[in-house]
Amino acid sequence: MFNTKKKHFKVWMALFTAVFFTTVCFESVAQADYFAGGRKNNAAPYAYYHSSVSTYGYVGNYDVARSYWNANSKVNIKKTTSTSARPDIYYVGNTSVSGLLGQIIPYTSTGTQAAVGGYWDYTTVFIYDNQMRAQSTFTSSRVNYNAAHEVGHTLKMAHVTPPYNSVMVQGWYNIPSTLTSYDSGEINKKW
Amino acid sequence: MKSTYFLLSAMTASLLLVGCNGDNVDTGSNEINSKKISSSEVNVSQSSKNENSEVERVVTHGNFVEYETEAELFADAELVVIASTNEDFMDREHIVKYVPSSDEEEGLPKAIEDFYTKTSITVEQVLKQPASEKVADNKKISVIEPIALLEDGSKILSVENYQEISRGQQYIIYLKKNTNGEYGVINMTNGRFNLESTDQIVNLAEHGHDNDKAKHEKMKDTVKNRFAKEIAKAKK
């Protein structure tokens, strides 16, 4: 009788421990600063610059944004002039939404908008000229930050809540001089 | 021993509940039937009478000027109003702008440059406005919301998990003119606050929106405190 009770107790303890760790793990995954799922070419996607990028004069800013993330050895965002391999497409545009500085939309291979946690075939990346110029301080460093933020999304990086030092924090800031250890760490976790 | 079993059972049940609730949906008294159908898409049955169509909702991600406190939000807003709309979401003016077709010659797929909804609201009280412009009570104005229905009706695109203003409910709305001189909601969902108890904030953990509900409610409390008198007047 005593042995049976002991067995039951062990079973309950095992169950409790399993549930406890599952819960802890679930919470940590949900709060990670990157999206679930994969994407074409993983952390080495191709980037095609639409003609609007040079027309508006932001080629250098997107170059800096790619270099920022490419500082992690796992990342290699390569610029391409070919559209045949369905690269990510970088644009510069305008938006009517006050305060919206940039945006990405991921797509599936059939050209429909993809679930953020699903598989991405390619993404369109926009930074918005009118909204950036409407900010009180319009500098190249802040444009670089904005471009790096959007390019970070193409690598499945999600938003980061301050006080972490990351370009994935929402807003209009100067870009850090080098890839931050936080951003590099999130890339390492994701890829 | 029995009490130990009971204790362990209770703790296990609690953990299970917490675990299952981590990415849950906020439901007020006017509960929406919302469930996650994938990591980014929410199948929403709107609460308003004619907003009950089930359309796939896709959340897009971007960078925007975010105000962490109500004080910052109020300071930067140009127009703050208590207002409501009598338009169902599906019947509003939905605008989806594509990169000009001339660029398709480059062999690129069709790309959405911008999307938003123009919502007609009736101003019930003005709480802040620019000195140069007077917006009268009961005046109807059109405001931009960062959400839109695609032209084929297949999907609703929402910037940063923005939740549209619901028909027939009072809101405090923080607005600013865009570069075209049109008023638009700022700070995404944390720029419009439902004065009823039926706000439809949905947490989407896998989007990095795991605390949207709590964040919104915290800011909403500050809004309600600041405008307690005005809200009481609006309720009469």
Side-chain angles (χ1 to χ4, degrees):
Chain A
M1 186 69 170
F2 179 72
N3 279 344
T4 313
K5 279 186 176 176
K6 211 172 171 182
K7 247 184 206 172
H8 283 166
F9 182 74
K10 279 182 179 172
V11 169
W12 271 110
M13 280 304 287
L15 179 64
F16 173 74
T17 309
V19 172
F20 176 79
F21 281 107
T22 305
T23 306
V24 168
C25 289
F26 174 87
E27 286 297 305
S28 64
V29 167
Q31 290 171 8
D33 290 327
Y34 50 83
F35 303 136
R39 61 150 300 150
K40 188 177 174 183
N41 295 324
N42 302 313
Y46 285 93
Y48 177 93
Y49 289 20
H50 182 259
S51 57
S52 58
V53 178
S54 59
T55 303
Y56 279 96
Y58 291 104
V59 171
N61 304 100
Y62 271 130
D63 285 345
V64 170
R66 286 189 303 110
S67 298
Y68 177 83
W69 291 104
N70 282 346
N72 182 304
S73 60
K74 290 188 176 181
V75 180
N76 184 17
I77 308 169
K78 301 170 290 288
K79 191 174 176 180
T80 180
T81 54
S82 167
T83 58
S84 59
R86 195 56 74 85
D88 287 348
I89 310 160
Y90 294 5
Y91 294 89
V92 177
N94 294 291
T95 177
S96 291
V97 178
S98 288
L100 184 61
L101 303 165
Q103 179 170 218
I104 73 144
I105 301 180
Y107 289 87
T108 65
S109 58
T110 57
T112 59
Q113 294 79 21
V116 77
Y119 184 82
W120 300 354
D121 197 59
Y122 70 98
T123 69
T124 57
V125 182
F126 277 89
I127 55 173
Y128 294 120
D129 179 66
N130 65 332
Q131 290 299 324
M132 293 191 291
R133 290 183 186 279
Q135 302 308 309
S136 56
T137 311
F138 178 77
T139 64
S140 188
S141 178
R142 290 179 189 236
V143 176
N144 290 344
Y145 181 97
N146 189 35
H149 181 103
E150 297 312 327
V151 172
H153 278 317
T154 71
L155 297 170
K156 292 250 178 186
M157 296 293 101
H159 288 143
V160 172
T161 305
Y164 292 114
N165 186 15
S166 167
V167 297
M168 299 315 293
V169 171
Q170 298 266 26
W172 183 237
Y173 303 113
N174 293 316
I175 193 167
S177 54
T178 55
L179 179 67
T180 67
S181 56
Y182 186 84
D183 283 341
S184 190
E186 292 303 296
I187 286 287
N188 289 338
K189 283 185 214 166
K190 174 63 188 173
W191 302 108
Chain B
M1 188 61 89
K2 272 184 182 174
S3 60
T4 310
Y5 286 155
F6 178 76
L7 187 66
L8 282 169
S9 304
M11 288 169 80
T12 307
S14 303
L15 282 169
L16 279 168
L17 281 171
V18 168
C20 295
N21 205 34
D23 190 18
N24 214 341
V25 171
D26 165 48
T27 54
S29 56
N30 189 11
E31 185 171 321
I32 58 170
N33 175 23
S34 178
K35 61 177 182 176
K36 252 177 88 179
I37 55 175
S38 79
S39 57
S40 76
E41 297 158 8
V42 179
N43 190 2
V44 177
S45 296
Q46 303 287 351
S47 61
S48 301
K49 283 177 187 171
N50 293 323
E51 294 184 52
N52 56 1
S53 61
E54 293 199 346
V55 180
E56 185 182 324
R57 188 172 290 231
V58 176
V59 174
T60 69
H61 290 266
N63 187 24
F64 67 96
V65 178
E66 187 171 24
Y67 307 90
E68 291 289 343
T69 66
E70 192 279 336
E72 292 172 320
L73 178 63
F74 184 80
D76 205 39
E78 293 170 347
L79 178 65
V80 183
V81 295
I82 295 179
S84 60
T85 181
N86 59 6
E87 288 179 335
D88 288 329
F89 175 72
M90 303 300 269
D91 296 335
R92 295 174 196 169
E93 187 181 356
H94 299 270
I95 291 143
V96 180
K97 289 184 177 171
Y98 292 86
V99 172
S101 57
S102 57
D103 292 330
E104 287 174 8
E105 290 169 16
E106 297 182 30
L108 298 172
K110 208 173 173 184
I112 295 172
E113 178 175 350
D114 193 20
F115 60 87
Y116 55 94
T117 305
K118 282 188 174 177
T119 305
S120 175
I121 60 169
T122 302
V123 174
E124 296 173 20
Q125 275 184 66
V126 177
L127 308 176
K128 180 186 179 183
Q129 65 183 329
S132 58
E133 185 180 346
K134 295 293 172 204
V135 178
D137 288 356
N138 299 317
K139 185 181 177 182
K140 277 196 172 187
I141 60 171
S142 176
V143 299
I144 286 172
E145 293 189 89
I147 187 168
L149 178 71
L150 289 182
E151 59 271 35
D152 63 0
S154 62
K155 284 176 181 163
I156 293 169
L157 299 184
S158 159
V159 182
E160 290 294 332
N161 199 23
Y162 179 83
Q163 305 289 307
E164 68 275 14
I165 294 167
S166 294
R167 182 176 66 85
Q169 298 181 5
Q170 285 181 318
Y171 286 80
I172 290 186
I173 310 172
Y174 292 72
L175 302 156
K176 192 172 182 176
K177 278 186 177 171
N178 65 13
T179 53
N180 299 322
E182 303 162 301
Y183 278 117
V185 178
I186 55 173
N187 211 30
M188 299 298 156
T189 297
N190 290 332
R192 31 60 90 225
F193 301 92
N194 192 336
L195 299 180
E196 318 294 330
S197 57
T198 54
D199 231 350
Q200 304 171 0
I201 310 302
V202 182
N203 282 340
L204 296 173
E206 284 147 310
H207 290 254
H209 290 279
D210 47 313
N211 67 342
D212 278 7
K213 167 69 182 163
K215 205 171 174 182
H216 183 77
E217 288 304 319
K218 191 180 171 191
M219 198 174 271
K220 186 174 174 177
D221 286 344
T222 315
V223 172
K224 284 174 126 177
N225 284 336
R226 181 197 272 266
F227 298 114
K229 281 182 190 172
E230 291 84 353
I231 292 169
K233 185 181 162 192
K235 294 279 183 193
K236 283 179 185 173

